[in-house]
Amino acid sequence: MDRTPVNPSIWSLKFGFNQAEIFTGATRQLVCSGQTATDADGNPQHPGNMRGQFGLALDNLATLLAAAGMSFANVTRLGIYTTDMDEALKHFDLLGARLGSAGVTPPSTLVGVTRLALPSLMIEIEATAMD
């Protein structure tokens, strides 16, 4: 799969994402439901700890990608939902480390919400991936 970034201006790059990307040569697409800070049984973890929840949600996304034979290098789009925008932004280095080590800057959207499915959850990350 080849990726071509589309950035009419470069403001988004300082936040670690392209405004759009053109994909050619992809053979499979994986659409992931939102990944949160839950254990293997679906129990919420790290109550009140945004960094812990962000990290575990990324770990859970990595596990899901690996189960499909993919990695963060295959991620083509992210949607991130949070109950505390300011606190989430403080911990975006976690996402930057995962995407940076994979060499990708996928188009992304960050949305503040009043609540997620389980009241103690603070962040949810959904992804689309291709190979």
Side-chain angles (χ1 to χ4, degrees), residues 6-20 105 107-108:
V6 179
N7 292 300
S9 59
I10 61 169
W11 67 268
S12 64
L13 297 178
K14 67 182 172 187
F15 294 104
F17 69 94
N18 286 312
Q19 294 171 48
T105 51
S108 304

Side-chain angles (χ1 to χ4, degrees), residues 32-94:
C32 304
S33 66
Q35 299 300 297
T36 60
T38 56
D39 64 16
D41 295 319
N43 300 308
Q45 304 295 302
H46 309 295
N49 178 344
M50 178 65 78
R51 189 166 189 86
Q53 287 198 20
F54 207 153
L56 183 53
L58 288 168
D59 289 346
N60 288 341
L61 178 56
T63 299
L64 181 58
L65 290 165
M70 296 184 184
S71 71
F72 278 98
N74 299 98
V75 172
T76 59
R77 175 105 172 71
L78 288 171
I80 303 167
Y81 305 89
T82 183
T83 59
D84 188 335
M85 186 74 70
D86 293 329
E87 192 63 22
L89 287 169
K90 290 178 188 176
H91 304 289
F92 255 62
D93 62 301
L94 296 172

